[in-house]
Amino acid sequence: MSRVCKMSKNVREVFRLDELKDDIRRNMVALLGNDPRSKRKFSYYNALAYSVRERLVDLWMRTQSDYYDSMAKRVYYLSMEFLPGRFLMNYLTNMGIVDECREIVAELGFSLEELEEEEWDAGLGNGGLGRLASCYLDSMVSQNIPGYGYGILYDYGIFYQSIVNGNQEERCDNWRRHGCPWEITRLDTLYEVKFYGRSETYYDSDGNVRFRWVDTENVMAMPCDILIPGYGCSHVSNMRLWTAQSSREFNLSDFNRGDYIGAMHGKVMSENITKVLYPNDQFLQGMELRLKQQYFLVSATFQDILRRYLKQHTSLAALPEAVAVQLNDTHPAIAIPELMRLLMDVYGMGWDVAWDICTRTFAYTNHTVLPEALETWPVDLLGRLLPRHMQIIYEINRRFLEGVAATFPGDTERLSRMSVIQEEGGQRVRMANLAIVGSHTVNGVAALHSNILQTGLFRDFHEYYPRKIRNVTNGVTPRRWLMQCNPALSRLITQSIGPEWCCNLEKLRELVPLAEDSAFRDAWARAKLENKRLLSRYVLRKVQMGINPNTLFDMQFKRMHEYKRQLLNVMHVISLFNRIKDNPSADITPRTVLFGGKAAPGYYQAKLIIRLINEVARVVNADADVAGRLRVAFLPNYCISQAEKVVPAADLSEQISTAGMEASGTGNMKFALNGALTIGTLDGANVEIMEEVGAENIFIFGLKAHEVAEKRRSGYNPREFYENDAELRRVMDMIGSGFFSPDERGLFSPVYDSLMHHGDYYMLMADYRPYMEAQAAVDALYLDQDQWVRKSILNAANMGKFSSDRSVMEYARGIWHVEPLGK
Ligand code: TH1
């Protein structure tokens, strides 16, 4: 299925490595204006980055002309978020020149790792959704699928998290302050994006009624490209990120009236569109600026798509044969009425022809069923910002509901559920409904999640369009998430089964028999220990805490969310603490419990849980009885580059969301791929991970999705668990009574109350005891290192399915209808 990784026969020649050192010195002077003798790491990182980038530009242009010459169908992955992290090591890995580069850098007096640390993460996303987009770009280009990422170049990415007195504080992530050597800014390409104004009717020369959008306020979109090299570099693609520039004539009348400052104000305001990423993960705030960002992305992208298409075609009729557009959640779903508007108002098509083109072009991926994440926009807001789009949405809906009414006569309830316009509580546009109606295919991101879409959230749509809603299980790129982040394990794997695994992850199955080989198990354990040592040094640097690499590293790293249940993990920690205090000489498995993750700045409860983790850590880590057996830390500012250090060092991966709530998860895949064992619920992709690795190699516990749903219906009583479980009661009482916050006894009452008095929506109380039992099984297994390591190997060995190469090929064949180029 995947391409054999035939790294170019001679990378030294292809990438002119003999000239690399000179190029670094040259760029240092010519581009950066620095003295090569200064030995500043940051300058050397930059000079190296430019010298690496310039080696890809030729390949990139060649790839683009390949696409052009073959008239290949292109995939456009539209996403409000990308989370590429750092680029340097990814470029070197995919170019296959890490070792060569390390030597050259050493000759200049640096280690590659120290230069790598000079790079700021490109944090243009919140979490899994953005990271998935970046993994898919890597897999598309690595498999010669002509695809581009389209997104926004935010000046400020996801905020920088620091922990002050146990609390999260947000700082602005000024990631481009010192420039970004990977960006290729296209100062000469500008598209106009319109806002506000009104829709006007007129008669064309044939006497037909037509519409035009007039009296608009215009903003310019300027593209900035970042190259995306495929593994082995047979192809190089790019993501195109837009920045807002004020239009030259912006408020010309104000200038002319002599209101210079007033005119400049308008200019500055228009450039605000791409200032900052909204830091909410799965929570809709409904701000006008956010809708502006969405339309800005969509409008600029479609001008670019149509310009490229029209270079090779004279009519738009064949657009769906040449272009596939994937909507990454509903965030870019305004693209559907936008393409309708372009086809009808600008290119003069009639509704039916335009609609047919539209629905054959778009596909939509749903990533969540959380009600608070489902986008709806007030009709008056959307109608004011995008008046013509609002008209088109009404017409899409009118025709759609006509069809539904014909299929289900008299079922008015169904019509109101399926309508693109929500009527109750003031009219709002339901973006998910719009995206389903306007797409040929809708997919969920794991089997369970897609099933929930079909039978729950989108049930009516599934009945109406029985083949539209499908599944494509998420995946992660093995280049970044094993080869690059875990050199120790990668080396061992390559020595044992050869190098093909990184482009054909199913090959890892060849490790299965090696799990029975004790020498291999020892080598595997040594690689893991080396990673744990590296992480320990990082933890010492970051939070001035020593941790012992010989303890079980128990990790939960993901966005802070009540449904992800970091609190359940804390409740286990507190229980362990109590057991040790009750019986200081008890023989327990020593653990280091590490947490990381950002809370949305306005998410009070999530921030309070961060505080609780830090207060529990303070108490636990200071206790002499506990010393050497239990340690807890919260690592600030979880981001891609931190994940690259955390993931390879994990023994235990916590994936403990309330069943039915985590659409897929992708951290779960990264950890297991690096040999961590999973403790988790049957949620999202955990279900499929269990199927792949075998139920005996994973710790599954707790309510299943249908049981959660059933309990919600029949009435759930969290107090029952409190009353019947003394250990749980003690934990809850400690949290509620201020044991961990002696100076502020009521500090954690809201945490206590959410479980005890507000219905425990995420059912932590019900899952507490099963979780404790699963954790006890973890402890027991860890004492038997031989068995643990066996299972660790079997986990990695069976993760082949979760390569994003497989996901992307499923999209390519089943949804986009594109084939890898040159096959
Ligand atoms: C995440 C899902 O929570 C996660 O389960 C999934 O693995 C990942 O997407 C990739 O499919 C989501 N992130 C967001 C972010 C926003 C809105 C909705 C989702 S769903 C802003």
Side-chain angles (χ1 to χ4, degrees), residues 81 126 128-129 132 280-283 290 329 331 367-368 373 445 474 563-564 662-666:
E81 307 190 14
N126 276 287
L129 170 130
L132 186 77
N280 303 317
D281 189 88
Q282 309 195 51
F283 184 80
R290 167 78 175 180
D329 216 284
H331 315 152
H367 296 266
T368 182
V445 290
N474 283 170
Y563 85 83
K564 294 177 190 276
E662 187 72 271
S664 164
T666 44

Side-chain angles (χ1 to χ4, degrees), residues 293-320:
Q293 290 183 335
Q294 296 182 343
Y295 181 65
F296 181 77
L297 162 64
V298 159
S299 167
T301 300
F302 268 85
Q303 293 182 60
D304 212 33
I305 292 175
L306 296 190
R307 174 196 55 81
R308 190 174 289 129
Y309 172 89
L310 289 170
K311 278 199 288 190
Q312 291 187 291
H313 300 81
T314 48
S315 141
L316 283 160
L319 188 75

Side-chain angles (χ1 to χ4, degrees), residues 645-666:
K645 301 179 171 76
V646 162
V647 164
D651 292 309
L652 186 65
S653 155
E654 300 267 356
Q655 307 299 339
I656 59 178
S657 51
T658 313
M661 312 216 72
E662 187 72 271
S664 164
T666 44

Side-chain angles (χ1 to χ4, degrees), residues 619-630:
V619 170
V620 167
N621 298 339
D623 194 297
D625 293 336
V626 175
R629 296 130 159 255
L630 182 59

